[in-house]
Amino acid sequence: MAATQVTGTPGEETAAQAAQTEGGTAPAEVDSAQEGHDRPLEAGEAVEEPQSFPVTVIVRRYDPEVDDEPRWVDYDVQMFATERILDALHRIKWEQDPSLAFRRSCAHGVCGSDAMRINGKNRLACKALVKDFDTSKPIYVEAIKGLPLEKDLIVNMEPFFDSFREIQPFLQASSKPEKERHQTIAQRERFDDTTKCILCAACTTSCPVFWTDGQYFGPAAIVNAHRFIFDSRDEASQVRLDILNDREGVWRCRTTFNCTDACPRGIQVTKAIAEVKQAMMTGVKL
Amino acid sequence: MRASGVVLVVLIFGHLAYNLLWTPGGIHAVDFGFVGGKLAQPFWQWWDVLMLWLAILHGSNGMRTIVNDYVHKPTIRAVALWAIGIAAAILIILGTLITFTFNPCPEGADPSLLPSFCAEL
Amino acid sequence: MSETSSSLTLPDPTPRKTTFSGTLYRGNEGMWSWVLHRITGVAIYFFLLVHVLDTALIRVSPEAYNAVMATYKNPVMGLGEVVLVGAVVLHAMNGLRIILVDAWPWATKHQRLLFWIVMGLVAALMLYFTPTHLINVFSPIEGGH
Amino acid sequence: MADQSSVTDGIHYHQHDVVIVGAGGAGMRAAIEAAPKASTAVITKLYPTRSHTGAAQGGMAAALANVEEDSNEWHTYDTVKGGDYLTDQDSAEILTREAIDAVYDLENMGLPFNRTEDGKIDQRRFGGHTRDHGKAPVRRACYAADRTGHMILQTLYQNCVKHGVEFFNEFYALDLVMAEVDGVQRVSGVVAYELATGEIHVFQGKSVVFATGGFGKIYKTTSNAHTLTGDGVGIVWRKGLPLEDMEFYQFHPTGLAGLGILLTEGARGEGAILRNASGERFMERYAPTIKDLAPRDIVARSMVQEVLDGRGAGPHKDYVYLDCTHLGAEVLETKLPDITEFARTYLGVDPVTERVPVYPTAHYAMGGIPTNNDAEVLLDNETVVPGLYAAGECACVSVHGANRLGTNSLLDINVFGKRAGNNAVAYAQTADFVDMPTDAADGVVKLLAQLREGSGSENVAEIRKALQETMDRNAQVFRTDETLQTALADIAVLRQRYPNVRIHDRGRRFNTDLLEAVELGFLLDLAEIVVVSAINRKESRGAHMRDDFPTRDDENYMQHTMAYRTAGEIGVPQEIRLDWKPVRVTHYEPQERKY
Ligand SMILES: Cc1cc2nc3c(=O)[nH]c(=O)nc-3n(C[C@H](O)[C@H](O)[C@H](O)COP(=O)(O)OP(=O)(O)OC[C@H]3O[C@@H](n4cnc5c(N)ncnc54)[C@H](O)[C@@H]3O)c2cc1C
Ligand code: HEM
Ligand code: SF4
Ligand code: F3S
Ligand code: FES
């Protein structure tokens, strides 16, 4: 479809409207590819009116003031394929049971509030699309594992942030430059991956080692240590390596890769951990 | 853990292969005579001792990790850790003693059970 | 006060309980290999305890030693040995994989592939070992050597 | 230093020199100044790293001239012109002058900016930022891929950790306590609700800084987080303090169609082009010189115009396209990775090969709590409330005038956040605590009890949805007296229904049901002020586009709106009095705005 050049002032009718199927990229139903994120929509694919359909969502609920044990509660909600699990939870909260408690804020995967276990895997509810699930079966939603459960899908995040704070997650550099410190593009690239972390805890709470006793620093803390260890401007890499050489440090990682699979930001978490381990053995290579 | 692991691969695979695969008859061949014959040679003595030490240290260390992971009650944890430690110590001492004090041709034993070289003594 | 009423309907006050609590975390290869590594590690450990003790009988008398060794030679134990060796092989190969993943960037990146390589190696080794060993186990005792 | 706490009658009392409400960019920037010098508490309803500053993508403007010639004077000009001459020009001068240090500060704190070949901070183009007074687009936005806000938020939080700032996470400030001392209204502290326990905390502070962010949730389609409900602005309003320029609400041109999730203007800065259904680059008609990089109000308006004229794309012809396909996978993956992923995840559209459906989305409040250049909150056109400060999106300095330029807000939160922190701590070092009235917490206790124990049958979510829908329909990019009156009437009905909301969660712990009801109260208040202010401004300026008064009227309206609440409580209609405040002009006489 050639781009028709239109001249004239806004408001003038143009003859170019017939051409509107180009690209065919309405927010319409796409298909239910199982794990198919990032799948581009074929140009020209038919645009259909989206249809809603019923989905059963089973939420593991817990009210500390009433329940001794968490319990599973089912809800039936009407969903569109392009919606997210967060929309389902909102629909439950806003239309069926307002007492359902969960955290959320940005709703598009950048604030890290809504990590939860959906069908047995840690995801951000706002990045888990209904179309990626088999909706002929119920979808199970429960809190992330390994942190103290507070209510419904809310856990106590303090232990998680404590580990984060322990690795001295801030730039330590003695000189005070007049303007910016310099850093080459390659040096900046070296730690790019780990700067993406939004501290959602999806990784740490997917780690089987973390579940065992919760003492392990956890992948998120290591990721954030990595971000500074490999920053050419930082001078305290050794301090962080020493902290992580602790018995609850990197060596407790058993390379199960659950963290890498869970990270909603696509950070190569296990790789970062391995790089920290290597730095401990052979020194930091920037 | 990792270093001992690498060495153990060689040792254990050698051990298994020699005892179960490369010896004609495999497991059936393993008896006093066979083992005694092996333990009479310094090469196998050292091989076995090293394997024993490493395996026990490696295994006990692994068990220690596992106990630390899953046993949260301090008393039970302490008991379990002690048990692992004591077991490791006993086994290492016992195993080492046996390997080096072992007499392949004990007095008064049925000669048919002994390694063939005993007959030459 | 306004009379507008809400369309909100509350669910059953006693919600239907399902029979289980907490789902199993659905990890991938890495997690299951770790579970296997752990299980095989513990299994081998306990076998090792027994194995050192039985070997110690060699110091007691040839008869005593041969008596325990005889138990290893019965066919049920023979199958057990296959499982045991399987565990050792799996543990060992996976142990090597873990070491590689920690130390070698290529392995970290291609851990999934590496897992299947390990599985392949384990299968190959066991395909070699199992028949050889089982033939020995089930073949009549030739006696002597 | 004061740093004590106690419990009386189930209410917790704390004392800190400086109390900061909000832990977004502005709040934490203030905390970094205040915490090393005085006992500082930061109260925040979200964990700091969950704040919406983290969603900002494109960049932060500063005339560093790292990649091409630039000056802060040009930056000032752009800011003033971008704000359609409603910007207070002395404030804009401060903003652009201190911009340079603000960027260096962040870099020195560790922010990983993208770099140029020679290792300096890289810069990119952004809407409305030009060379030499409008000659051509200029590279002024310092950026870190398309996660600049994320990096700012993380860096500031990291530095708060470094300084050991004391955070009260998931504490909802619900009231401001003021008391009269020697005939002057002074600030005494803040009352907050602890989400985890349902307990009330009273924070006494010598100075209080509000940095609670925006209120995009008055609209349905918005780039703002669910939690941006304007609590801080609402609290100040309910205290009888004025709000400034509330009719100016910015719509960002490129929200993902139907969802409102933002695609940064940085995409157009990198060369992406807006096209209508027929593929025409329509911005050439509306802004011949800088085309797709015109300021947001102009681009958003042009897009809506295209759709109204039937040139929209899609089955309902209700959006246009953002075309990035010519940028190549390389640029998209390295400079715009996040938005590329958003389009893929949420629309199933791959920007590398396909055009992305976009439509304007409610984005940014130019208006808010009026402050002077020292971030001190004003009680009328000049008088400050001693000890009370505001910064960030909740404040109106006003550096953004009638329309904020992209990248100027991340700048605003850093420049004025820092000023607020510095001034608040300086004030705290000289002032005494103002006695906390014994009934300080009563207002909040009453408000919560009223909501919690209400026996009505209204549903919070339904009222909120109705509010958002009427705002989307009637107080959006184009408005007329008629649509605004409709919105006002709708809001009046919703305000009447509000006291009858029913809270289903009767528990104390993590009662998000209760808090959504409280937040709705603020949304209703603010939406009404937006609409009332908009009705009153019978001209078109910046983001405020009146179809019935399509031109700018400097004669009558080149002044800020000041709204005051004269009466009103829950269930009682509010009475709003409007007044004007002159615009401070230094160098730039109003001109027609052409790009
Ligand atoms: C998607 C998006 C992209 C953007 N991109 C850019 C960009 O590229 N460049 C640019 O310059 N600007 C951009 N902006 C605008 C800019 O990001 C925001 O205006 C700015 O970050 C606001 O910062 P803040 O500190 O004022 O508020 P926020 O970061 O929103 O923080 C508000 C804080 O207040 C707290 N809070 C709120 N209410 C309460 C309460 N009742 N009690 C206690 N705490 C409370 C919250 O917990 C939070 O910590 C963007 C905005 C959005 C939405
Ligand atoms: C054959 C060669 C062997 C290799 C290459 C090997 C390798 C390893 C490695 C690398 C680990 C560390 C796992 C990790 O950090 O995730 C480990 C753990 C362990 N190994 Fe071995 N091992 C071998 C033999 C043995 C033997 C003979 C035993 C039993 C005595 C044993 C018992 C254990 C146990 C109990 C663990 C702890 C498992 C855990 O913590 O999850 N291993 N092994
Ligand atoms: S590394 Fe990934 S999963 Fe872990 S906290 Fe950071 S963003 Fe979340
Ligand atoms: S899940 Fe845990 S074991 Fe290591 S690879 Fe990740 S931290
Ligand atoms: S709501 Fe912000 S990450 Fe999901």
Side-chain angles (χ1 to χ4, degrees), chain D residues 197-259:
Chain D
T197 59
E199 284 169 320
I200 308 279
H201 295 252
V202 175
F203 291 85
Q204 188 177 19
K206 292 178 182 168
S207 50
V208 171
V209 180
F210 269 69
T212 52
F215 47 86
K217 278 291 153 184
I218 59 172
Y219 290 99
K220 180 165 143 235
T221 312
T222 171
S223 65
N224 281 201
H226 285 285
T227 46
L228 283 178
T229 49
D231 312 358
V233 184
I235 291 168
V236 167
W237 167 253
R238 287 182 185 173
K239 281 283 121 173
L241 297 174
L243 297 180
E244 184 174 341
D245 286 344
M246 293 291 280
E247 65 272 38
F248 295 103
Y249 200 91
Q250 179 171 77
F251 291 82
H252 191 291
T254 52
L256 285 182
L259 293 169

Side-chain angles (χ1 to χ4, degrees), chain A:
Chain A
M1 176 59 51
T4 323
Q5 267 303 325
V6 184
T7 46
T9 50
E12 219 172 86
E13 278 300 313
T14 68
Q17 292 151 20
Q20 48 109 340
T21 47
E22 178 169 344
T25 49
E29 189 176 335
V30 178
D31 86 10
S32 51
Q34 271 297 300
E35 288 281 331
H37 9 257
D38 294 3
R39 197 193 62 92
L41 189 72
E42 293 293 312
E45 213 165 295
V47 175
E48 285 166 33
E49 277 301 299
Q51 289 280 304
S52 73
F53 48 86
V55 177
T56 305
V57 180
I58 307 189
V59 185
R60 190 160 186 246
R61 300 206 48 186
Y62 172 64
D63 180 347
E65 289 164 87
V66 180
D67 303 321
D68 298 325
E69 279 292 310
R71 58 203 159 84
W72 289 96
V73 184
D74 344 11
Y75 301 92
D76 292 319
V77 278
Q78 282 296 118
M79 298 295 296
F80 292 93
T82 48
E83 286 183 306
R84 310 154 240 183
I85 300 301
L86 181 62
D87 298 313
L89 294 176
H90 272 148
R91 212 148 286 163
I92 294 168
K93 183 173 180 63
W94 293 342
E95 292 165 17
Q96 297 184 32
D97 186 350
S99 68
L100 178 66
F102 53 93
R103 293 191 177 103
R104 50 72 181 123
S105 183
C106 71
H108 64 285
V110 296
C111 75
S113 300
D114 57 347
M116 48 188 80
R117 194 145 45 116
I118 304 174
N119 276 0
K121 280 187 187 182
N122 281 1
R123 318 271 303 252
L124 293 178
C126 63
K127 280 191 92 174
L129 296 170
V130 171
K131 70 180 164 65
D132 292 337
F133 292 89
D134 173 5
T135 47
S136 63
K137 298 204 204 92
I139 297 174
Y140 291 90
V141 181
E142 62 203 295
I144 44 179
K145 192 168 162 168
L147 290 167
L149 184 61
E150 295 276 359
K151 180 176 180 180
D152 294 345
L153 301 172
I154 297 180
V155 296
N156 181 353
M157 298 294 293
E158 282 310 322
F160 173 79
F161 278 100
D162 283 343
S163 304
F164 167 74
R165 287 187 284 259
E166 243 172 274
I167 53 97
Q168 307 194 355
F170 39 82
L171 189 81
Q172 300 177 52
S174 47
S175 67
K176 175 86 183 79
E178 203 172 300
K179 292 182 170 181
E180 71 260 54
R181 293 193 177 81
H182 286 211
Q183 187 166 50
T184 65
I185 292 173
Q187 286 171 331
R188 166 68 181 74
E189 182 59 29
R190 181 66 191 85
F191 62 101
D192 185 64
D193 201 35
T194 43
T195 63
K196 295 185 225 160
C197 177
I198 52 175
L199 295 170
C200 68
C203 54
T204 297
T205 58
S206 76
C207 176
V209 179
F210 181 75
W211 300 332
T212 59
D213 60 358
Q215 298 300 304
Y216 173 38
F217 271 87
I222 303 174
V223 158
N224 284 281
H226 178 282
R227 179 247 169 278
F228 288 102
I229 291 172
F230 293 94
D231 187 334
S232 58
R233 298 169 296 173
D234 190 83
E235 292 161 12
S237 300
Q238 198 53 48
V239 178
R240 294 191 195 88
L241 290 178
D242 290 345
I243 295 172
L244 289 174
N245 214 348
D246 183 84
R247 50 185 286 255
E248 305 300 345
V250 281
W251 300 111
R252 282 203 71 181
C253 165
R254 308 237 100 90
T255 61
T256 64
F257 282 90
N258 274 7
C259 51
T260 304
D261 293 336
C263 179
R265 302 284 281 173
I267 298 172
Q268 295 302 306
V269 181
T270 314
K271 177 165 170 262
I273 298 174
E275 285 172 0
V276 173
K277 288 175 181 167
Q278 286 155 23
M280 274 173 197
M281 296 185 289
T282 59
V284 180
K285 293 200 194 75
L286 289 176

Side-chain angles (χ1 to χ4, degrees), chain D residues 527-543:
Chain D
E528 185 169 14
I529 310 162
V530 168
V531 171
V532 169
S533 306
I535 292 173
N536 190 48
R537 185 174 283 275
K538 297 182 177 51
E539 64 157 353
S540 289
R541 180 187 296 272

